[in-house]
C-alpha cells in the first residue's frame, strides 16, 4: 500500500480522471475527500466505491474558483478526515472557441476554474500542510501548457499559468516539506471531449498527430499520479510529468 494512512483531496473528483485517481489512491490505502461542484450523485457513488474498499471518504461541494467555498471545503475535510496529505488540483473546464470569438465571460470562466481555482485550493490546503511540515500537491495541467492548439487560447493559457504556478508553489513551499508537481495528460477520453472524439474527422486528425496512436483512458493517469503522490517521488518537485503518448516530443 503506497498511500497507507494518507488523506487525499481530489477536486473535480466525481468524474473522469479525478474519479479514477480518487479510486486509485483509495486502492493504495488513502482516505479520500471527493470534491464536486454540481454532480452530487456521481460524487456520492465515488464515495461509496471508496468506502467499499475499506477507506474513509466524503463528498464535499465547492466551486474551486470561489475562495469562500474553497476555505469551507478545506475546513470540512480537516474536521472530518483530520488532515490533508495529498491534494490533486484536478477540477477543470474546457471550451473550443476561436480567439477572435472568445467572450470576456468565457475567458473568465475558464481562467477562474482552471488557474484561479488551482491557486485558491493550493493556498488553502498548503496553509494546513505547513503546520505539519509535509504534503504533496499534484496539479492537473495539460500538454496545452507548452504547445499551441487552434481554438484553445483560453484553456491553454490557463494550463500555461498552472505550469508556472507549479514551479512557484514548489519553490515557496519546499522549505515546508511540501512537494508540488504537474501532471500533463495528452488526449484522454472523458466527458470533457467525448463528443469531439465521437466525430470521425476530429478523431482521425488527432490520432494522426499522436506518435503512439492511442487515445488514453482515465486509468492511464492513475499510475503517474500515484508516483507523484507517494514517496517513490520524494526527490521530485517543481516538475512536469507528461502522459501524452509522445505528443509533445514532435
Ligand atoms: P471531466 O469533465 O470528466 O472532469 C472535470 C471535473 O471537474 C468534473 O467533475 C467537473 O464537474 C469538475 N469541475 C469543473 N469545474 C469545477 C469547479 N469550478 N469546481 C469544482 N469542480 C469543477 O474532465 P477530465 O478530462 O477528467 O479533466 C480533468 C482535468 O484534466 C482537467 O483539469 C482537464 O483540464 C485536464 N486535462 C484533460 C485532458 C483530456 O484529454 N481529457 C487532457 C489534459 C488535461
Amino acid at each position: 500500500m503506497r498511500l497507507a494512512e494518507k488523506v487525499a483531496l481530489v477536486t473535480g473528483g466525481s468524474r473522469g480522471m479525478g474519479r479514477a485517481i480518487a479510486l486509485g489512491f483509495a486502492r493504495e490505502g488513502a482516505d479520500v475527500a471527493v470534491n464536486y461542484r454540481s454532480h452530487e450523485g456521481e460524487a456520492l457513488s465515488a464515495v461509496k466505491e471508496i468506502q467499499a474498499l475499506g477507506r474513509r471518504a466524503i463528498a464535499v461541494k465547492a466551486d474551486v474558483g470561489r475562495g469562500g467555498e474553497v476555505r469551507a471545503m478545506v475546513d470540512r475535510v480537516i474536521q472530518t478526515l483530520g488532515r490533508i496529505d495529498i491534494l490533486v488540483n484536478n477540477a477543470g473546464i474546457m471550451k473550443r472557441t476561436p480567439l477572435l470569438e472568445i467572450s470576456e465571460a468565457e475567458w473568465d470562466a475558464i481562467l477562474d476554474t482552471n488557474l484561479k481555482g488551482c491557486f485558491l485550493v493550493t493556498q488553502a490546503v498548503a496553509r494546513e500542510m505547513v503546520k505539519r511540515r509535509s504534503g504533496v500537491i499534484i496539479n492537473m495541467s495539460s500538454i496545452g501548457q507548452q504547445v499551441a492548439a487552434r481554438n484553445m487560447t483560453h484553456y491553454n493559457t490557463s494550463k500555461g499559468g498552472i505550469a508556472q504556478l507549479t514551479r512557484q508553489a514548489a519553490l515557496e513551499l519546499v522549505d515546508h516539506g511540501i512537494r508540488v508537481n504537474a501532471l500533463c495528460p495528452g488526449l484522454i477520453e472523458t466527458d470533457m471531449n467525448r463528443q469531439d472524439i465521437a466525430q470521425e474527422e476530429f478523431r482521425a486528425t488527432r490520432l494522426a498527430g499522436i506518435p503512439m496512436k492511442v487515445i488514453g483512458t482515465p486509468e492511464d493517469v492513475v499510475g503517474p499520479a500515484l508516483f507523484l503522490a507517494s514517496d517513490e517521488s520524494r526527490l521530485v518537485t517543481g516538475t512536469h510529468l507528461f502522459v501524452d503518448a509522445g505528443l509533445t516530443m514532435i
Side-chain angles (χ1 to χ4, degrees), residues 4-250:
E5 313 209 342
K6 301 287 186 190
V7 177
L9 165 62
V10 182
T11 67
S14 66
R15 296 185 295 156
M17 287 188 266
R19 185 190 186 99
I21 290 169
L23 285 163
F25 283 8
R27 281 194 294 271
E28 288 292 332
D31 296 331
V32 186
V34 176
N35 156 255
Y36 69 97
R37 182 185 48 173
S38 47
H39 298 93
E40 185 180 21
E42 287 164 278
L44 290 173
S45 96
V47 162
K48 269 196 181 164
E49 275 193 61
I50 293 165
Q51 288 169 339
L53 292 164
R55 313 282 166 254
R56 295 184 300 161
I58 55 166
V60 230
K61 184 177 166 73
D63 179 337
V64 296
R66 293 172 183 261
E69 293 184 30
V70 166
R71 283 190 293 279
M73 167 178 73
V74 172
D75 287 349
R76 169 129 187 266
V77 179
I78 303 275
Q79 275 161 17
T80 316
L81 299 178
R83 58 182 194 276
I84 300 172
D85 301 295
I86 303 159
L87 164 65
V88 184
N89 278 310
N90 165 79
I93 52 173
M94 186 268 290
K95 258 187 112 95
R96 299 181 198 279
T97 310
L99 180 144
L100 297 179
E101 293 166 24
I102 295 171
S103 66
E104 186 176 344
E106 189 174 306
W107 174 273
D108 286 347
I110 301 250
L111 271 289
D112 281 0
T113 297
N114 297 5
L115 182 55
K116 184 178 161 192
C118 185
F119 161 70
L120 289 173
V121 184
T122 293
Q123 186 186 57
V125 171
R127 283 175 173 161
E128 296 298 325
M129 287 175 166
V130 296
K131 296 176 190 166
R132 304 180 55 253
R133 298 201 56 77
S134 87
V136 177
I137 299 174
I138 301 170
N139 295 330
M140 287 298 271
S141 185
S142 161
I143 55 165
Q145 73 170 43
Q146 73 173 52
V147 295
R150 286 178 195 281
N151 306 328
M152 303 284 273
T153 297
H154 41 10
Y155 179 83
N156 282 355
T157 301
S158 74
K159 297 301 186 181
I162 288 176
Q164 190 60 8
L165 175 58
T166 299
R167 292 184 199 98
Q168 288 292 143
L171 182 63
E172 292 211 25
L173 298 173
V174 73
D175 293 338
H176 299 281
I178 299 167
R179 297 189 294 109
V180 188
N181 291 291
L183 198 53
C184 306
L187 185 59
I188 308 286
E189 185 164 353
T190 65
D191 290 344
M192 185 174 273
N193 52 26
R194 214 175 301 286
Q195 283 180 335
D196 299 324
I197 290 172
Q199 291 167 29
E200 194 42 48
E201 196 189 330
F202 178 94
R203 188 184 177 86
T205 312
R206 292 301 301 271
L207 272 173
I210 301 173
M212 288 176 80
K213 309 292 180 218
V214 177
I215 294 173
T217 70
E219 278 302 315
D220 288 314
V221 302
V222 174
L226 269 169
F227 168 69
L228 291 177
S230 72
D231 286 344
E232 287 170 18
S233 60
R234 84 186 177 93
L235 290 191
V236 181
T237 196
T239 194
H240 309 257
L241 178 53
F242 286 78
V243 184
D244 66 354
L247 246 170
T248 43
M249 73 179 161
I250 50 173

